Amino acid sequence: ETVFVNGELMDRKEAKVDIEDRGYQFGDGIYEVVRVYGGKTFTMKEHMERFYQSAEKIKLHIPHEMDELTGLINRLIEANSIHDGIVYLQATRGVASRQHHFPASDVKGSVVAYTKEVPVPQSQMDQGVTVKLIEDVRWLRCDIKSLNLLGNLLAKEEAASEGHFEAILHRGDLVTEGSSSNAFMVKDGVVRTHPATNLILNGITRRVIRDVAGSEGIPFQEDAFTLDELLSADEVFIASTTSEVMPVVKIGERLVGEGHPGAVTRKLQGAFRKRIEQEAPV
Ligand code: PLP
């Protein structure tokens, strides 16, 4: 297995992390997960742009130009002959003696990437999944794709330990997003999701869904909804790079609609698939 570490492709066995890497000690860094379908990346440009934007938001300099990094990632996918999978890309503020404030400007950020085969979760996408509602206790910069994921991990663990696929988070009465996905509801044919504020990650999948909803003539509103609205929705789904458009058929013990994936969700799944085959920018 070939991995990418600080500008070089190397065997995974040769890759090392310093015990004073700030990503390891503080979670002082950012990441991306890019989907690979049939050996080709999907929405690579959008992911790379978000990667550099997350870096800028935490004042982290990426020591590679975007085009160079994109090229290296494509080489990595080829070297590992990835068919359907993901690329994990991460940057940290580098290695320095442990103190909270940033290291001197000559300390270069660490950038690593690796690939993995990941199948499309077809049976879950066909049948739908269940979720648990959990209070969103994360910080107020969820727009940054930060390595600090403890709030997300604790929510996912609580949901998963009770047999659920995902945790849907809410701040007080308003639904924000999933622990590793965006959350959507459908009422009277209208799709709604939380606006892209500091309270959610503006998912690339979310943007593709907004785009395909537009071409399919499905009304799409970026307008936060309440727990009551969620619980009385006709359809609910979540979305992410690895989950695509994932129908939610149960929230806790309560059925969504009739307890089957709904018509609008099905239409979006179909349109999303078509988009993968076309790979058009959003
Ligand atoms: N929200 C959170 C908290 C996430 O971690 C993710 C992705 O893992 C998403 C939303 C969905 O983003 P994307 O569609 O870009 O994968």
Side-chain angles (χ1 to χ4, degrees):
E1 184 189 355
T2 304
V3 300
F4 170 78
V5 181
N6 296 326
E8 281 180 69
L9 295 184
M10 62 176 74
D11 192 275
R12 182 170 184 154
K13 291 192 201 77
E14 311 298 317
K16 298 260 186 309
V17 174
D18 193 290
I19 60 168
E20 283 194 308
D21 188 287
R22 291 178 64 94
Y24 183 62
Q25 289 194 319
F26 296 121
D28 185 5
I30 49 115
Y31 74 107
E32 276 298 325
V33 177
V34 187
R35 199 69 167 102
V36 179
Y37 292 115
K40 287 206 300 223
T41 54
F42 179 60
T43 56
M44 174 72 131
K45 188 162 185 286
E46 287 80 357
H47 281 280
M48 291 306 277
E49 280 170 2
R50 188 173 65 184
F51 185 68
Y52 280 82
Q53 282 159 8
S54 290
E56 200 178 309
K57 286 173 179 177
I58 69 161
K59 303 184 173 73
L60 167 60
H61 174 72
I62 307 286
H64 302 280
E65 295 296 329
M66 195 185 296
D67 285 352
E68 183 200 355
L69 198 52
T70 302
L72 284 159
I73 288 170
N74 286 329
R75 275 176 57 200
L76 188 62
I77 292 164
E78 219 178 282
N80 291 321
S81 309
I82 296 300
H83 187 68
D84 287 339
I86 56 124
V87 180
Y88 178 84
L89 171 66
Q90 168 181 300
T92 76
R93 210 178 304 277
V95 178
S97 172
R98 186 185 182 281
Q99 27 188 4
H100 286 52
H101 56 70
F102 294 177
S105 55
D106 61 340
V107 174
K108 270 199 357 189
S110 311
V111 181
V112 307
Y114 64 88
T115 58
K116 198 165 76 169
E117 281 289 338
V118 177
V120 172
Q122 195 58 52
S123 71
Q124 286 164 318
M125 279 166 45
D126 290 344
Q127 287 157 33
V129 297
T130 75
V131 299
K132 180 176 182 182
L133 291 173
I134 297 181
E135 183 74 38
D136 191 343
V137 296
R138 299 173 301 162
W139 72 332
L140 298 175
R141 290 307 306 277
C142 297
D143 55 308
I144 302 170
K145 204 163 167 64
S146 151
L147 295 178
N148 278 278
L149 289 173
L150 260 183
N152 309 59
L153 307 189
L154 291 172
K156 179 79 95 188
E157 176 57 23
E158 182 178 334
S161 69
E162 294 170 25
H164 296 288
F165 181 82
E166 175 63 306
I168 289 189
L169 308 176
H170 57 94
R171 277 194 197 267
D173 205 27
L174 289 182
V175 174
T176 48
E177 62 178 340
S179 76
S180 62
S181 60
N182 290 115
F184 305 76
M185 61 163 272
V186 183
K187 187 72 179 178
D188 300 328
V190 180
V191 180
R192 278 171 71 185
T193 196
H194 196 286
T197 65
N198 60 306
L199 298 182
I200 69 158
L201 183 75
N202 185 1
I204 308 297
T205 317
R206 176 187 179 280
R207 301 181 215 177
V208 176
I209 291 168
R210 181 182 57 190
D211 203 52
V212 299
S215 6
E216 296 287 318
I218 300 168
F220 188 98
Q221 292 178 357
E222 296 180 63
D223 182 16
F225 49 90
T226 65
L227 286 172
D228 278 350
E229 286 175 307
L230 177 73
L231 293 171
S232 59
D234 300 328
E235 304 177 28
V236 174
F237 63 91
I238 54 177
S240 77
T241 292
T242 48
S243 294
E244 301 185 12
V245 179
M246 183 64 80
V248 173
V249 294
K250 227 171 159 188
I251 302 172
E253 285 308 305
R254 197 167 164 141
L255 291 185
V256 176
E258 312 271 283
H260 306 292
V264 174
T265 307
R266 285 282 185 241
K267 203 166 171 187
L268 288 171
Q269 282 183 321
F272 191 86
R273 272 277 130 197
K274 258 193 264 162
R275 181 58 73 94
I276 292 167
E277 281 146 33
Q278 296 162 352
E279 169 65 296
V282 290

